[in-house]
Amino acid sequence: MNKILYLTSELFPLIKTGGLADVAGSLPPALTRLGQEMRVLLPAYPEVMRKVKQPSLLASTRYYNQEVKLLETRLPENGLSLWLVHCPAAFDRPGGPYINGNGEPWHDNALRFAIFCLVAVDIALSRLNLNWQPDIVHGNDWQSGLAPALLQLHSRRPATLFTIHNLAYQGLFDHQTFLDLDLPAGLWHLDGLEFYGQLSFIKGGLAFADRVNTVSPTYAREILQVKFGCGLEGLLQHRRHRLSGILNGIDSRVWDPKHDKYLKAPYGTENLEQKSINKTLLQQQLGLPVDSDIPLIGMISRLVEQKGLEIILQGMADLLALPVQLVIVGTGDTHYELQLSHWANRHPDQIKVIIGYNEPLSHRLEAAGDLFLMPSSFEPCGLNQIYSLRYGTLPLVSNVGGLADTVVDADAENIKIGTANGFVLPNQTADDLLATLRRALGLWQTDTWRQLQLTAMGNDYSWRSSAKHYLDLYHLALGDRRGAMG
Ligand code: ADP
Ligand code: GLC
């Protein structure tokens, strides 16, 4: 049994902007089931404070002249022990965890997540009189990047693991911020936190954690290349012997078409015909022509470049010339929101665009769709294609990262051997998107389609096996640490 301090800046069902929340809400409980003693550290955003039950005070401290309290609570869903960094000056404000109401990053993000990391460091070094010291500190994404960097300055410290969920978000700030945060001067160098003259939070994790991993085996290989490395490929190559990829699992209780609380017509492989009721209901709800013979394509996504919106918009006119309906639920960059809405206004019988974050609708669309669109330019893991597999909504994806690791293309060979479960673009272009879509539509309403659905729904992407890989990684990190301490 190891004691693990798991650092995350979002956690489902309390606060979510993307897949990290889903992972943070489901991996720690899976690791608890494997005998690990987990404490999850999360900023006490107002939304979180509203949802949790009477947290109790564990410790009080101060950083940068701000009062900080460490609070403790448990998640009613699974008993997970949650520690909250309560610092009103940093976290108690309306808006998102990283951006304000105008979609701009909070001006003091560096300070906010430095405070978060300093709490983690003080817990890790047993400075808060908690009677609990982790064996391992497990950070996620740039928001926790300073923790491994600061911890490695100490000889007696826990082992560290840093998980990359998305290398494109790096937590970059100017040099003055590094000075203002009063970070140790020795960390300002090429092999430290400095990145082309800027302060890089994510480098703290990449350069200094005992082990680094990312969320799919393919993305772990891709980020060693210039094309996917976001300028960090050199550092990652240098640390490649400490770098690995573990495919995300999903919370199979939250995402289960048989027991989904948002569905009027739950279904499984044994009553798959029920699935089309969900389609009819959604068509009615959204004001689309109600017709079970028109294939419905769904997309649920942050509307950012990563998610393939460029090629979707390039191919939109041709896509809408096909006999399909398209439903997109998402929020993100304003220019994508506007362009998509423009198409929806011009073709109200074929495309609906719902701007905003909408949990119930995302479940209903997974159930209602025939195809799920996810042609990302890069995708560290991707969870929506996995949810789609589980819902028998065949994913149409690009051939990158976790998409390549989870979706098996319905080519003749894969259909024959029974492994096909979706459609994979040869290249991430508008032409290939349309060609692949036409190929998919050629199989629509055939026996093969049903076979693909059954294969998809039978795939097991629960945490069962992936959580064990994290255990192995924890052991490796502890081994590295022991080795280093002699
Ligand atoms: P990423 O983390 O890059 O956004 P993932 O596929 O890993 O991509 O995870 C995205 C998660 O966020 C999924 O659970 C998805 O359902 C959810 N999501 C994204 N956009 C929305 C939205 N507009 N409404 C509801 N859920 C959304
Ligand atoms: C990131 C990635 C996504 C991944 C998620 C959870 O947001 O963009 O691919 O599934 O993190 O690991």
Side-chain angles (χ1 to χ4, degrees), residues 206-272:
L206 305 184
F208 296 115
D210 296 313
R211 291 275 159 170
V212 178
N213 84 305
T214 181
V215 287
S216 70
T218 295
Y219 192 61
R221 288 191 298 275
E222 287 171 342
I223 55 178
L224 301 176
Q225 306 161 23
V226 175
K227 184 171 175 204
F228 295 100
C230 302
L232 293 160
E233 58 280 356
L235 170 60
L236 291 165
Q237 275 164 24
H238 177 66
R239 300 217 69 207
R240 65 188 306 157
H241 304 295
R242 301 293 179 104
L243 172 70
S244 58
I246 302 178
L247 196 67
N248 282 334
I250 62 168
D251 189 330
S252 33
R253 278 169 301 186
V254 176
W255 292 98
D256 176 1
K258 264 193 207 174
H259 302 106
D260 188 322
K261 64 176 178 185
Y262 295 115
L263 301 190
K264 291 232 170 65
Y267 60 93
T269 44
E270 64 293 343
N271 61 346
L272 191 48

Side-chain angles (χ1 to χ4, degrees), residues 408-411 414-422 451-453 455-456:
V408 181
D409 184 56
D411 64 20
N414 292 333
I415 291 176
K416 199 165 123 209
I417 59 176
T419 54
N421 62 6
Q451 181 200 321
L452 297 177
Q453 285 183 301
T455 304

